[in-house]
Amino acid sequence: MEKRIIECVPNFSEGRDMSVIKQITDVIEAVGGVKLLDVDPGKDTNRTVVTFVGEPGAVCEAAFRAVKKASEVIDMSKHHGEHPRMGATDVCPFIPVSGITMEETVVYARKVAERIGNELKIPVYCYESAAFEEKRRNLAACREGEYEGLKKKLADPAWKPDFGPAEFNERSGATAVGARDFL
């Protein structure tokens, strides 16, 4: 049987302070069965794209721990950068690599999204294949208004988060969790 592998490519709203980025990547690397493939910080965008792979359970645990660490070390109320963003962990997509279907990957993505919302009290929107409704499939629609417009967006019943409170989290913002193909 082919080994089940998924990739996770979270984007964190910090691209300048390498000590903050390292704290996030350290919690990812601490999870057994996960391989950190790339860390790509951007000074102008003030955003870091991290790529890691492994078996689904390990990748989900690493993703959750990374989102938790980002919520502790990144304060969105002080964040400025050129890239659109709405949270300390802006996006957290899961990508099927081998031995796993998109449908199975969606289940894993939604479990992580639910855990982020319930345990960390961060509003979460599910996007792409993990979206619960068509208007949320597109990441740009979920992110519209960005961090600065999030308080207003969360007050709109049409944009109630899929998981987590419909309350503005000033420090962490909101997170989009998805399941998608490779870009």
Side-chain angles (χ1 to χ4, degrees), residues 32-108:
V34 170
K35 174 124 177 83
L36 183 65
L37 298 179
D38 191 46
V39 179
D40 185 15
K43 288 193 185 329
D44 291 340
T45 57
N46 198 13
R47 174 186 196 86
T48 297
V49 179
V50 175
T51 306
F52 58 94
V53 297
E55 293 182 296
V59 168
C60 290
E61 181 61 28
F64 176 79
R65 290 184 190 183
V67 171
K68 182 176 190 291
K69 180 55 75 175
S71 74
E72 295 166 358
V73 297
I74 298 172
D75 184 350
M76 286 303 294
S77 69
K78 296 172 173 49
H79 183 272
H80 300 284
E82 293 179 15
H83 198 286
R85 80 283 184 270
M86 66 179 178
T89 302
D90 186 53
V91 295
C92 187
F94 293 87
I95 300 113
V97 176
S98 69
I100 189 165
T101 66
M102 179 59 77
E103 292 73 25
E104 291 169 311
T105 304
V106 165
V107 172
Y108 284 109

